[in-house]
Amino acid sequence: MKTFDYLRPADAREAVAALAAHPEARLLSGGTNLVDLMKLGVERPELVVDVNRVDFGGIEAQPDGGLLIGAGVRNSELAADLLVRTRYPVVARALLSAASGQLRNMASTGGNLLQRTRCTYFMDTTKPCNKREPGTGCPAHAGLSRELGILGVSDACIATHPGDFAVALAALDAEIRFETSDGPGSLPIEEFYRLPGEHPERDTTLPAGAVITGVRIPGLPYGAVSTYRKARDRRSYAFGLATVAAAIDVEDGRVRDVRIALGGVAHKPWRARRAEELLIGGAAMREQFERAAAAELAQATPTEQNAFKVGLAERLIVGVLTELTELRDETEPPESTDTTAPTGPTTGDDA
Ligand SMILES: Cc1cc2nc3c(=O)[nH]c(=O)nc-3n(C[C@H](O)[C@H](O)[C@H](O)COP(=O)(O)OP(=O)(O)OC[C@H]3O[C@@H](n4cnc5c(N)ncnc54)[C@H](O)[C@@H]3O)c2cc1C
């Protein structure tokens, strides 16, 4: 690994000042992604700015029924939080489906959002990759693409955002908060992540030199009727091939509102707006779910190797909506004090 300088600022402003003085510096939180990439030579920072002593705050209930989550909150702590489990089971389930217990103990809210793609070519410095080295090409189109994107891809890149947490946040219209040398700022998650276009080297629209300070999830009255499902090659400790985060509000057998986001299929968590539009106002029944899922995935442009993801994502959408509507029929969303498990189906958790 290349040698680097190390700084441990006391607060976010000091971290921002360090990034402004050293544009090639990298922030270190849990280090579970950054350190791996440094070992591979994908990241080669001159300076590592360790934000583990910065107090970004904890998990706070908001007046609108939402939550504010500090950037330093660990994934394990967030998944175990009673407010998260009762208000947004989709968030707890997405977090628990990721990595392993040890990794989740280290992984932070801020670092999780900025984890880099797991595309083979990005992680192998002997191969060309437009995301790692702009202008060198994308061998994935004609190469190994089984795990890669099917929606919103470009000639320059078919990498996917590999995370689970961000997919749940996309379904919930979360907002990413940050600090810059010009002061604090925020971005809706749908604008925070971007499609590759001709600039796959940029994963997000986070301003250069910004430090993520937290995530705000707005209140969602039917947030308790939400879940996350992840299809992967192993039952645990594997990234998603296709994943779905969903929440649904059904009244008198009709869909009053619905939120669907897909993971593992695009450069960003993919909000399934087309499916949502088709579902709202219609009957909450399987045939409608199938129609909406097919309409969403009709936009897909897969490779030969990852064409299976189209049907997989469709089936995941239908399965999750069916389970949530059955759950809704059986029980009203809990106001509850359940401390043992998030509501929703049990598939997809790390074992
Ligand atoms: C074996 C393995 C399996 C995994 N499986 C999964 C999985 O199934 N699903 C999943 O979602 N994830 C998975 N992960 C990824 C894991 O979730 C991430 O590595 C972790 O969430 C990153 O958080 P961190 O705090 O360790 O980030 P770090 O590694 O510290 O940082 C990651 C990036 O974020 C930046 N950063 C950190 N904090 C801030 C901040 N406050 N403001 C701005 N930038 C910041 C860093 O500079 C760096 O670029 C896996 C990881 C491993 C190693």
Side-chain angles (χ1 to χ4, degrees), residues 26-34 36 71 75 97-99 103 106-108 110-112 114-115 118 162-164 210-212 230 237-239:
R26 288 286 179 275
L27 297 179
L28 175 85
S29 192
T32 61
N33 190 220
L34 180 68
D36 281 0
N75 289 180
S97 76
L103 283 160
M106 288 302 294
S108 66
N112 188 312
L114 293 185
Q115 61 178 290
R118 295 276 156 170
D164 295 291
V211 174
I212 295 178
K230 177 170 175 175
Y237 207 22
F239 288 92

PDB file of all heavy atoms in Angstrom, residues 26-34 36 71 75 97-99 103 106-108 110-112 114-115 118 162-164 210-212 230 237-239, ligand 1:
ATOM      1  N   ARG A  26      -8.757  11.526   1.315  1.00  0.00           N
ATOM      2  CA  ARG A  26      -9.968  10.715   1.451  1.00  0.00           C
ATOM      3  C   ARG A  26     -10.377  10.659   2.909  1.00  0.00           C
ATOM      4  O   ARG A  26      -9.521  10.547   3.804  1.00  0.00           O
ATOM      5  CB  ARG A  26      -9.723   9.280   0.979  1.00  0.00           C
ATOM      6  CG  ARG A  26      -9.576   9.127  -0.517  1.00  0.00           C
ATOM      7  CD  ARG A  26     -10.911   9.250  -1.250  1.00  0.00           C
ATOM      8  NE  ARG A  26     -10.756   9.130  -2.690  1.00  0.00           N
ATOM      9  CZ  ARG A  26     -10.435  10.121  -3.515  1.00  0.00           C
ATOM     10  NH1 ARG A  26     -10.235  11.345  -3.049  1.00  0.00           N
ATOM     11  NH2 ARG A  26     -10.316   9.910  -4.816  1.00  0.00           N
ATOM     12  N   LEU A  27     -11.685  10.708   3.147  1.00  0.00           N
ATOM     13  CA  LEU A  27     -12.193  10.546   4.510  1.00  0.00           C
ATOM     14  C   LEU A  27     -12.199   9.064   4.858  1.00  0.00           C
ATOM     15  O   LEU A  27     -12.495   8.222   4.017  1.00  0.00           O
ATOM     16  CB  LEU A  27     -13.617  11.091   4.616  1.00  0.00           C
ATOM     17  CG  LEU A  27     -13.793  12.589   4.357  1.00  0.00           C
ATOM     18  CD1 LEU A  27     -15.269  12.950   4.489  1.00  0.00           C
ATOM     19  CD2 LEU A  27     -12.971  13.421   5.333  1.00  0.00           C
ATOM     20  N   LEU A  28     -11.929   8.795   6.106  1.00  0.00           N
ATOM     21  CA  LEU A  28     -11.978   7.420   6.606  1.00  0.00           C
ATOM     22  C   LEU A  28     -13.019   7.345   7.707  1.00  0.00           C
ATOM     23  O   LEU A  28     -12.972   8.090   8.676  1.00  0.00           O
ATOM     24  CB  LEU A  28     -10.616   7.028   7.192  1.00  0.00           C
ATOM     25  CG  LEU A  28     -10.577   5.653   7.858  1.00  0.00           C
ATOM     26  CD1 LEU A  28     -10.323   4.564   6.826  1.00  0.00           C
ATOM     27  CD2 LEU A  28      -9.490   5.599   8.928  1.00  0.00           C
ATOM     28  N   SER A  29     -13.972   6.448   7.533  1.00  0.00           N
ATOM     29  CA  SER A  29     -14.940   6.226   8.611  1.00  0.00           C
ATOM     30  C   SER A  29     -14.709   4.809   9.132  1.00  0.00           C
ATOM     31  O   SER A  29     -13.716   4.565   9.819  1.00  0.00           O
ATOM     32  CB  SER A  29     -16.356   6.478   8.091  1.00  0.00           C
ATOM     33  OG  SER A  29     -17.245   6.530   9.172  1.00  0.00           O
ATOM     34  N   GLY A  30     -15.573   3.849   8.800  1.00  0.00           N
ATOM     35  CA  GLY A  30     -15.317   2.466   9.235  1.00  0.00           C
ATOM     36  C   GLY A  30     -14.121   1.848   8.523  1.00  0.00           C
ATOM     37  O   GLY A  30     -13.518   0.886   9.000  1.00  0.00           O
ATOM     38  N   GLY A  31     -13.809   2.368   7.345  1.00  0.00           N
ATOM     39  CA  GLY A  31     -12.658   1.892   6.581  1.00  0.00           C
ATOM     40  C   GLY A  31     -12.882   0.577   5.850  1.00  0.00           C
ATOM     41  O   GLY A  31     -11.976   0.069   5.180  1.00  0.00           O
ATOM     42  N   THR A  32     -14.079   0.017   5.913  1.00  0.00           N
ATOM     43  CA  THR A  32     -14.307  -1.322   5.350  1.00  0.00           C
ATOM     44  C   THR A  32     -14.287  -1.332   3.822  1.00  0.00           C
ATOM     45  O   THR A  32     -14.106  -2.371   3.210  1.00  0.00           O
ATOM     46  CB  THR A  32     -15.642  -1.919   5.831  1.00  0.00           C
ATOM     47  OG1 THR A  32     -16.711  -1.074   5.392  1.00  0.00           O
ATOM     48  CG2 THR A  32     -15.693  -2.063   7.343  1.00  0.00           C
ATOM     49  N   ASN A  33     -14.470  -0.190   3.210  1.00  0.00           N
ATOM     50  CA  ASN A  33     -14.355  -0.105   1.760  1.00  0.00           C
ATOM     51  C   ASN A  33     -13.070   0.633   1.372  1.00  0.00           C
ATOM     52  O   ASN A  33     -12.289   0.149   0.550  1.00  0.00           O
ATOM     53  CB  ASN A  33     -15.582   0.594   1.165  1.00  0.00           C
ATOM     54  CG  ASN A  33     -15.633   0.488  -0.348  1.00  0.00           C
ATOM     55  OD1 ASN A  33     -15.984   1.436  -1.014  1.00  0.00           O
ATOM     56  ND2 ASN A  33     -15.299  -0.644  -0.912  1.00  0.00           N
ATOM     57  N   LEU A  34     -12.832   1.770   1.999  1.00  0.00           N
ATOM     58  CA  LEU A  34     -11.673   2.585   1.619  1.00  0.00           C
ATOM     59  C   LEU A  34     -10.366   1.803   1.778  1.00  0.00           C
ATOM     60  O   LEU A  34      -9.524   1.795   0.874  1.00  0.00           O
ATOM     61  CB  LEU A  34     -11.625   3.871   2.454  1.00  0.00           C
ATOM     62  CG  LEU A  34     -10.433   4.763   2.109  1.00  0.00           C
ATOM     63  CD1 LEU A  34     -10.574   5.355   0.716  1.00  0.00           C
ATOM     64  CD2 LEU A  34     -10.246   5.866   3.138  1.00  0.00           C
ATOM     65  N   ASP A  36      -9.801  -1.424   1.834  1.00  0.00           N
ATOM     66  CA  ASP A  36      -9.697  -2.483   0.814  1.00  0.00           C
ATOM     67  C   ASP A  36      -9.226  -1.891  -0.516  1.00  0.00           C
ATOM     68  O   ASP A  36      -8.352  -2.448  -1.186  1.00  0.00           O
ATOM     69  CB  ASP A  36     -11.062  -3.150   0.588  1.00  0.00           C
ATOM     70  CG  ASP A  36     -11.394  -4.158   1.684  1.00  0.00           C
ATOM     71  OD1 ASP A  36     -10.576  -4.339   2.602  1.00  0.00           O
ATOM     72  OD2 ASP A  36     -12.495  -4.758   1.614  1.00  0.00           O
ATOM     73  N   ALA A  71     -23.989  10.751  10.501  1.00  0.00           N
ATOM     74  CA  ALA A  71     -23.139  10.026   9.540  1.00  0.00           C
ATOM     75  C   ALA A  71     -22.268   8.967  10.202  1.00  0.00           C
ATOM     76  O   ALA A  71     -21.842   8.023   9.553  1.00  0.00           O
ATOM     77  CB  ALA A  71     -22.259  11.015   8.787  1.00  0.00           C
ATOM     78  N   ASN A  75     -23.820   0.745  11.058  1.00  0.00           N
ATOM     79  CA  ASN A  75     -24.929   0.006  10.431  1.00  0.00           C
ATOM     80  C   ASN A  75     -25.613  -0.930  11.422  1.00  0.00           C
ATOM     81  O   ASN A  75     -26.833  -1.074  11.406  1.00  0.00           O
ATOM     82  CB  ASN A  75     -24.427  -0.791   9.224  1.00  0.00           C
ATOM     83  CG  ASN A  75     -24.049   0.083   8.034  1.00  0.00           C
ATOM     84  OD1 ASN A  75     -23.626  -0.410   6.995  1.00  0.00           O
ATOM     85  ND2 ASN A  75     -24.184   1.404   8.158  1.00  0.00           N
ATOM     86  N   SER A  97     -29.290  -7.250   5.597  1.00  0.00           N
ATOM     87  CA  SER A  97     -28.998  -8.133   4.467  1.00  0.00           C
ATOM     88  C   SER A  97     -27.577  -7.919   3.946  1.00  0.00           C
ATOM     89  O   SER A  97     -27.130  -8.625   3.047  1.00  0.00           O
ATOM     90  CB  SER A  97     -29.996  -7.895   3.334  1.00  0.00           C
ATOM     91  OG  SER A  97     -29.671  -6.703   2.649  1.00  0.00           O
ATOM     92  N   ALA A  98     -26.896  -6.907   4.484  1.00  0.00           N
ATOM     93  CA  ALA A  98     -25.601  -6.510   3.929  1.00  0.00           C
ATOM     94  C   ALA A  98     -24.427  -7.095   4.705  1.00  0.00           C
ATOM     95  O   ALA A  98     -24.461  -7.164   5.935  1.00  0.00           O
ATOM     96  CB  ALA A  98     -25.482  -4.987   3.927  1.00  0.00           C
ATOM     97  N   ALA A  99     -23.415  -7.488   3.983  1.00  0.00           N
ATOM     98  CA  ALA A  99     -22.107  -7.850   4.545  1.00  0.00           C
ATOM     99  C   ALA A  99     -22.229  -8.885   5.669  1.00  0.00           C
ATOM    100  O   ALA A  99     -22.982  -9.843   5.559  1.00  0.00           O
ATOM    101  CB  ALA A  99     -21.381  -6.583   4.998  1.00  0.00           C
ATOM    102  N   LEU A 103     -18.615  -6.613   9.819  1.00  0.00           N
ATOM    103  CA  LEU A 103     -18.526  -5.445   8.930  1.00  0.00           C
ATOM    104  C   LEU A 103     -19.558  -4.388   9.307  1.00  0.00           C
ATOM    105  O   LEU A 103     -19.267  -3.195   9.318  1.00  0.00           O
ATOM    106  CB  LEU A 103     -18.726  -5.874   7.468  1.00  0.00           C
ATOM    107  CG  LEU A 103     -17.502  -6.551   6.841  1.00  0.00           C
ATOM    108  CD1 LEU A 103     -17.893  -7.368   5.634  1.00  0.00           C
ATOM    109  CD2 LEU A 103     -16.461  -5.510   6.457  1.00  0.00           C
ATOM    110  N   MET A 106     -18.607  -2.009  11.975  1.00  0.00           N
ATOM    111  CA  MET A 106     -17.668  -0.949  11.596  1.00  0.00           C
ATOM    112  C   MET A 106     -18.289   0.037  10.610  1.00  0.00           C
ATOM    113  O   MET A 106     -18.041   1.242  10.680  1.00  0.00           O
ATOM    114  CB  MET A 106     -16.423  -1.561  10.924  1.00  0.00           C
ATOM    115  CG  MET A 106     -15.508  -2.302  11.853  1.00  0.00           C
ATOM    116  SD  MET A 106     -14.906  -1.261  13.195  1.00  0.00           S
ATOM    117  CE  MET A 106     -13.888  -0.079  12.313  1.00  0.00           C
ATOM    118  N   ALA A 107     -19.089  -0.476   9.673  1.00  0.00           N
ATOM    119  CA  ALA A 107     -19.589   0.349   8.564  1.00  0.00           C
ATOM    120  C   ALA A 107     -20.470   1.481   9.088  1.00  0.00           C
ATOM    121  O   ALA A 107     -21.350   1.265   9.913  1.00  0.00           O
ATOM    122  CB  ALA A 107     -20.372  -0.525   7.596  1.00  0.00           C
ATOM    123  N   SER A 108     -20.242   2.671   8.563  1.00  0.00           N
ATOM    124  CA  SER A 108     -20.966   3.859   9.045  1.00  0.00           C
ATOM    125  C   SER A 108     -22.032   4.290   8.040  1.00  0.00           C
ATOM    126  O   SER A 108     -21.987   3.918   6.862  1.00  0.00           O
ATOM    127  CB  SER A 108     -19.973   5.001   9.242  1.00  0.00           C
ATOM    128  OG  SER A 108     -19.444   5.377   7.987  1.00  0.00           O
ATOM    129  N   GLY A 110     -22.455   7.299   6.748  1.00  0.00           N
ATOM    130  CA  GLY A 110     -21.859   8.104   5.667  1.00  0.00           C
ATOM    131  C   GLY A 110     -21.053   7.248   4.706  1.00  0.00           C
ATOM    132  O   GLY A 110     -21.182   7.362   3.485  1.00  0.00           O
ATOM    133  N   GLY A 111     -20.207   6.377   5.261  1.00  0.00           N
ATOM    134  CA  GLY A 111     -19.339   5.540   4.420  1.00  0.00           C
ATOM    135  C   GLY A 111     -20.130   4.567   3.576  1.00  0.00           C
ATOM    136  O   GLY A 111     -19.796   4.313   2.420  1.00  0.00           O
ATOM    137  N   ASN A 112     -21.212   4.039   4.130  1.00  0.00           N
ATOM    138  CA  ASN A 112     -22.047   3.090   3.387  1.00  0.00           C
ATOM    139  C   ASN A 112     -22.573   3.728   2.107  1.00  0.00           C
ATOM    140  O   ASN A 112     -22.582   3.107   1.042  1.00  0.00           O
ATOM    141  CB  ASN A 112     -23.202   2.618   4.277  1.00  0.00           C
ATOM    142  CG  ASN A 112     -23.991   1.489   3.652  1.00  0.00           C
ATOM    143  OD1 ASN A 112     -24.355   1.576   2.487  1.00  0.00           O
ATOM    144  ND2 ASN A 112     -24.256   0.441   4.403  1.00  0.00           N
ATOM    145  N   LEU A 114     -21.295   5.978   0.323  1.00  0.00           N
ATOM    146  CA  LEU A 114     -20.264   6.262  -0.687  1.00  0.00           C
ATOM    147  C   LEU A 114     -19.401   5.048  -1.011  1.00  0.00           C
ATOM    148  O   LEU A 114     -18.330   5.187  -1.592  1.00  0.00           O
ATOM    149  CB  LEU A 114     -19.390   7.430  -0.229  1.00  0.00           C
ATOM    150  CG  LEU A 114     -20.112   8.779  -0.168  1.00  0.00           C
ATOM    151  CD1 LEU A 114     -19.126   9.895   0.167  1.00  0.00           C
ATOM    152  CD2 LEU A 114     -20.804   9.105  -1.483  1.00  0.00           C
ATOM    153  N   GLN A 115     -19.855   3.839  -0.654  1.00  0.00           N
ATOM    154  CA  GLN A 115     -19.102   2.650  -1.040  1.00  0.00           C
ATOM    155  C   GLN A 115     -19.058   2.581  -2.557  1.00  0.00           C
ATOM    156  O   GLN A 115     -19.994   2.969  -3.252  1.00  0.00           O
ATOM    157  CB  GLN A 115     -19.713   1.383  -0.448  1.00  0.00           C
ATOM    158  CG  GLN A 115     -21.127   1.103  -0.893  1.00  0.00           C
ATOM    159  CD  GLN A 115     -21.645  -0.207  -0.303  1.00  0.00           C
ATOM    160  OE1 GLN A 115     -21.197  -1.277  -0.692  1.00  0.00           O
ATOM    161  NE2 GLN A 115     -22.589  -0.118   0.612  1.00  0.00           N
ATOM    162  N   ARG A 118     -18.643  -2.783  -7.093  1.00  0.00           N
ATOM    163  CA  ARG A 118     -17.891  -4.036  -7.003  1.00  0.00           C
ATOM    164  C   ARG A 118     -17.573  -4.593  -8.391  1.00  0.00           C
ATOM    165  O   ARG A 118     -17.193  -5.762  -8.522  1.00  0.00           O
ATOM    166  CB  ARG A 118     -18.690  -5.058  -6.203  1.00  0.00           C
ATOM    167  CG  ARG A 118     -18.886  -4.642  -4.769  1.00  0.00           C
ATOM    168  CD  ARG A 118     -17.691  -5.011  -3.917  1.00  0.00           C
ATOM    169  NE  ARG A 118     -17.607  -4.164  -2.730  1.00  0.00           N
ATOM    170  CZ  ARG A 118     -16.780  -4.384  -1.722  1.00  0.00           C
ATOM    171  NH1 ARG A 118     -15.955  -5.406  -1.747  1.00  0.00           N
ATOM    172  NH2 ARG A 118     -16.740  -3.573  -0.700  1.00  0.00           N
ATOM    173  N   PRO A 162     -23.475  -0.930  -5.322  1.00  0.00           N
ATOM    174  CA  PRO A 162     -23.604  -2.265  -4.729  1.00  0.00           C
ATOM    175  C   PRO A 162     -24.383  -2.305  -3.418  1.00  0.00           C
ATOM    176  O   PRO A 162     -24.690  -3.380  -2.920  1.00  0.00           O
ATOM    177  CB  PRO A 162     -22.145  -2.642  -4.452  1.00  0.00           C
ATOM    178  CG  PRO A 162     -21.484  -1.335  -4.157  1.00  0.00           C
ATOM    179  CD  PRO A 162     -22.186  -0.303  -4.981  1.00  0.00           C
ATOM    180  N   GLY A 163     -24.715  -1.133  -2.859  1.00  0.00           N
ATOM    181  CA  GLY A 163     -25.238  -1.096  -1.494  1.00  0.00           C
ATOM    182  C   GLY A 163     -26.705  -1.479  -1.371  1.00  0.00           C
ATOM    183  O   GLY A 163     -27.456  -1.480  -2.351  1.00  0.00           O
ATOM    184  N   ASP A 164     -27.102  -1.797  -0.148  1.00  0.00           N
ATOM    185  CA  ASP A 164     -28.493  -2.132   0.174  1.00  0.00           C
ATOM    186  C   ASP A 164     -29.195  -0.972   0.875  1.00  0.00           C
ATOM    187  O   ASP A 164     -30.344  -0.643   0.556  1.00  0.00           O
ATOM    188  CB  ASP A 164     -28.519  -3.374   1.083  1.00  0.00           C
ATOM    189  CG  ASP A 164     -27.988  -4.601   0.353  1.00  0.00           C
ATOM    190  OD1 ASP A 164     -28.668  -5.066  -0.563  1.00  0.00           O
ATOM    191  OD2 ASP A 164     -26.881  -5.057   0.680  1.00  0.00           O
ATOM    192  N   ALA A 210     -16.937  17.853   0.218  1.00  0.00           N
ATOM    193  CA  ALA A 210     -18.019  17.837   1.219  1.00  0.00           C
ATOM    194  C   ALA A 210     -17.857  16.649   2.167  1.00  0.00           C
ATOM    195  O   ALA A 210     -17.352  15.598   1.797  1.00  0.00           O
ATOM    196  CB  ALA A 210     -19.372  17.741   0.518  1.00  0.00           C
ATOM    197  N   VAL A 211     -18.309  16.862   3.398  1.00  0.00           N
ATOM    198  CA  VAL A 211     -18.341  15.791   4.392  1.00  0.00           C
ATOM    199  C   VAL A 211     -19.811  15.495   4.676  1.00  0.00           C
ATOM    200  O   VAL A 211     -20.571  16.401   5.050  1.00  0.00           O
ATOM    201  CB  VAL A 211     -17.644  16.240   5.696  1.00  0.00           C
ATOM    202  CG1 VAL A 211     -17.802  15.182   6.787  1.00  0.00           C
ATOM    203  CG2 VAL A 211     -16.166  16.516   5.446  1.00  0.00           C
ATOM    204  N   ILE A 212     -20.224  14.265   4.494  1.00  0.00           N
ATOM    205  CA  ILE A 212     -21.611  13.892   4.810  1.00  0.00           C
ATOM    206  C   ILE A 212     -21.771  13.955   6.330  1.00  0.00           C
ATOM    207  O   ILE A 212     -20.951  13.391   7.078  1.00  0.00           O
ATOM    208  CB  ILE A 212     -21.946  12.482   4.291  1.00  0.00           C
ATOM    209  CG1 ILE A 212     -21.897  12.461   2.765  1.00  0.00           C
ATOM    210  CG2 ILE A 212     -23.331  12.031   4.773  1.00  0.00           C
ATOM    211  CD1 ILE A 212     -22.171  11.105   2.131  1.00  0.00           C
ATOM    212  N   LYS A 230     -33.683  -9.356  -1.107  1.00  0.00           N
ATOM    213  CA  LYS A 230     -32.408  -9.352  -1.837  1.00  0.00           C
ATOM    214  C   LYS A 230     -32.159 -10.723  -2.453  1.00  0.00           C
ATOM    215  O   LYS A 230     -32.137 -11.720  -1.729  1.00  0.00           O
ATOM    216  CB  LYS A 230     -31.315  -9.012  -0.820  1.00  0.00           C
ATOM    217  CG  LYS A 230     -29.897  -9.024  -1.309  1.00  0.00           C
ATOM    218  CD  LYS A 230     -28.995  -8.420  -0.226  1.00  0.00           C
ATOM    219  CE  LYS A 230     -27.541  -8.503  -0.585  1.00  0.00           C
ATOM    220  NZ  LYS A 230     -26.701  -7.806   0.401  1.00  0.00           N
ATOM    221  N   TYR A 237     -23.845 -12.792   3.286  1.00  0.00           N
ATOM    222  CA  TYR A 237     -22.501 -12.316   2.982  1.00  0.00           C
ATOM    223  C   TYR A 237     -22.247 -12.244   1.479  1.00  0.00           C
ATOM    224  O   TYR A 237     -21.236 -12.735   0.981  1.00  0.00           O
ATOM    225  CB  TYR A 237     -21.497 -13.264   3.654  1.00  0.00           C
ATOM    226  CG  TYR A 237     -20.172 -12.634   4.006  1.00  0.00           C
ATOM    227  CD1 TYR A 237     -20.041 -11.267   4.171  1.00  0.00           C
ATOM    228  CD2 TYR A 237     -19.029 -13.411   4.177  1.00  0.00           C
ATOM    229  CE1 TYR A 237     -18.831 -10.703   4.493  1.00  0.00           C
ATOM    230  CE2 TYR A 237     -17.808 -12.858   4.501  1.00  0.00           C
ATOM    231  CZ  TYR A 237     -17.714 -11.512   4.644  1.00  0.00           C
ATOM    232  OH  TYR A 237     -16.507 -10.960   4.969  1.00  0.00           O
ATOM    233  N   ALA A 238     -23.214 -11.699   0.743  1.00  0.00           N
ATOM    234  CA  ALA A 238     -23.036 -11.536  -0.697  1.00  0.00           C
ATOM    235  C   ALA A 238     -23.790 -10.290  -1.152  1.00  0.00           C
ATOM    236  O   ALA A 238     -24.831  -9.944  -0.583  1.00  0.00           O
ATOM    237  CB  ALA A 238     -23.564 -12.756  -1.436  1.00  0.00           C
ATOM    238  N   PHE A 239     -23.233  -9.633  -2.152  1.00  0.00           N
ATOM    239  CA  PHE A 239     -23.910  -8.462  -2.709  1.00  0.00           C
ATOM    240  C   PHE A 239     -25.139  -8.911  -3.507  1.00  0.00           C
ATOM    241  O   PHE A 239     -25.189 -10.049  -3.983  1.00  0.00           O
ATOM    242  CB  PHE A 239     -22.945  -7.674  -3.593  1.00  0.00           C
ATOM    243  CG  PHE A 239     -21.907  -6.952  -2.794  1.00  0.00           C
ATOM    244  CD1 PHE A 239     -20.685  -7.543  -2.507  1.00  0.00           C
ATOM    245  CD2 PHE A 239     -22.157  -5.690  -2.287  1.00  0.00           C
ATOM    246  CE1 PHE A 239     -19.731  -6.886  -1.738  1.00  0.00           C
ATOM    247  CE2 PHE A 239     -21.206  -5.022  -1.527  1.00  0.00           C
ATOM    248  CZ  PHE A 239     -19.997  -5.620  -1.250  1.00  0.00           C
TER     249      PHE A 239
HETATM  250  C1  LIG B   1     -16.769  -8.596   2.305  1.00  0.00           C
HETATM  251  C2  LIG B   1     -17.719  -7.438   2.212  1.00  0.00           C
HETATM  252  C3  LIG B   1     -19.054  -7.680   1.932  1.00  0.00           C
HETATM  253  C4  LIG B   1     -19.953  -6.605   1.858  1.00  0.00           C
HETATM  254  N1  LIG B   1     -21.269  -6.851   1.555  1.00  0.00           N
HETATM  255  C5  LIG B   1     -22.132  -5.805   1.450  1.00  0.00           C
HETATM  256  C6  LIG B   1     -23.482  -6.006   1.106  1.00  0.00           C
HETATM  257  O1  LIG B   1     -23.947  -7.124   0.922  1.00  0.00           O
HETATM  258  N2  LIG B   1     -24.277  -4.906   1.006  1.00  0.00           N
HETATM  259  C7  LIG B   1     -23.813  -3.639   1.243  1.00  0.00           C
HETATM  260  O2  LIG B   1     -24.585  -2.689   1.168  1.00  0.00           O
HETATM  261  N3  LIG B   1     -22.535  -3.431   1.535  1.00  0.00           N
HETATM  262  C8  LIG B   1     -21.688  -4.477   1.653  1.00  0.00           C
HETATM  263  N4  LIG B   1     -20.372  -4.244   1.942  1.00  0.00           N
HETATM  264  C9  LIG B   1     -19.889  -2.869   1.931  1.00  0.00           C
HETATM  265  C10 LIG B   1     -19.977  -2.212   3.265  1.00  0.00           C
HETATM  266  O3  LIG B   1     -21.343  -1.985   3.568  1.00  0.00           O
HETATM  267  C11 LIG B   1     -19.238  -0.885   3.125  1.00  0.00           C
HETATM  268  O4  LIG B   1     -17.870  -1.191   2.999  1.00  0.00           O
HETATM  269  C12 LIG B   1     -19.462   0.025   4.302  1.00  0.00           C
HETATM  270  O5  LIG B   1     -20.822   0.351   4.454  1.00  0.00           O
HETATM  271  C13 LIG B   1     -18.683   1.319   4.108  1.00  0.00           C
HETATM  272  O6  LIG B   1     -18.782   2.084   5.301  1.00  0.00           O
HETATM  273  P1  LIG B   1     -17.457   2.558   6.047  1.00  0.00           P
HETATM  274  O7  LIG B   1     -17.876   3.431   7.163  1.00  0.00           O
HETATM  275  O8  LIG B   1     -16.583   1.409   6.381  1.00  0.00           O
HETATM  276  O9  LIG B   1     -16.816   3.422   4.877  1.00  0.00           O
HETATM  277  P2  LIG B   1     -15.296   3.759   4.565  1.00  0.00           P
HETATM  278  O10 LIG B   1     -14.625   2.590   3.969  1.00  0.00           O
HETATM  279  O11 LIG B   1     -14.649   4.405   5.725  1.00  0.00           O
HETATM  280  O12 LIG B   1     -15.528   4.866   3.438  1.00  0.00           O
HETATM  281  C14 LIG B   1     -16.168   4.561   2.222  1.00  0.00           C
HETATM  282  C15 LIG B   1     -16.169   5.820   1.357  1.00  0.00           C
HETATM  283  O13 LIG B   1     -16.957   6.820   1.961  1.00  0.00           O
HETATM  284  C16 LIG B   1     -16.206   7.996   2.204  1.00  0.00           C
HETATM  285  N5  LIG B   1     -16.702   8.548   3.470  1.00  0.00           N
HETATM  286  C17 LIG B   1     -16.766   7.937   4.674  1.00  0.00           C
HETATM  287  N6  LIG B   1     -17.391   8.716   5.567  1.00  0.00           N
HETATM  288  C18 LIG B   1     -17.725   9.859   4.921  1.00  0.00           C
HETATM  289  C19 LIG B   1     -18.399  11.071   5.287  1.00  0.00           C
HETATM  290  N7  LIG B   1     -18.876  11.279   6.529  1.00  0.00           N
HETATM  291  N8  LIG B   1     -18.569  12.037   4.347  1.00  0.00           N
HETATM  292  C20 LIG B   1     -18.127  11.849   3.082  1.00  0.00           C
HETATM  293  N9  LIG B   1     -17.461  10.741   2.683  1.00  0.00           N
HETATM  294  C21 LIG B   1     -17.285   9.754   3.583  1.00  0.00           C
HETATM  295  C22 LIG B   1     -14.754   7.537   2.242  1.00  0.00           C
HETATM  296  O14 LIG B   1     -13.848   8.578   1.903  1.00  0.00           O
HETATM  297  C23 LIG B   1     -14.778   6.436   1.206  1.00  0.00           C
HETATM  298  O15 LIG B   1     -14.670   6.994  -0.083  1.00  0.00           O
HETATM  299  C24 LIG B   1     -19.473  -5.284   2.053  1.00  0.00           C
HETATM  300  C25 LIG B   1     -18.129  -5.061   2.360  1.00  0.00           C
HETATM  301  C26 LIG B   1     -17.247  -6.112   2.427  1.00  0.00           C
HETATM  302  C27 LIG B   1     -15.810  -5.820   2.744  1.00  0.00           C
END
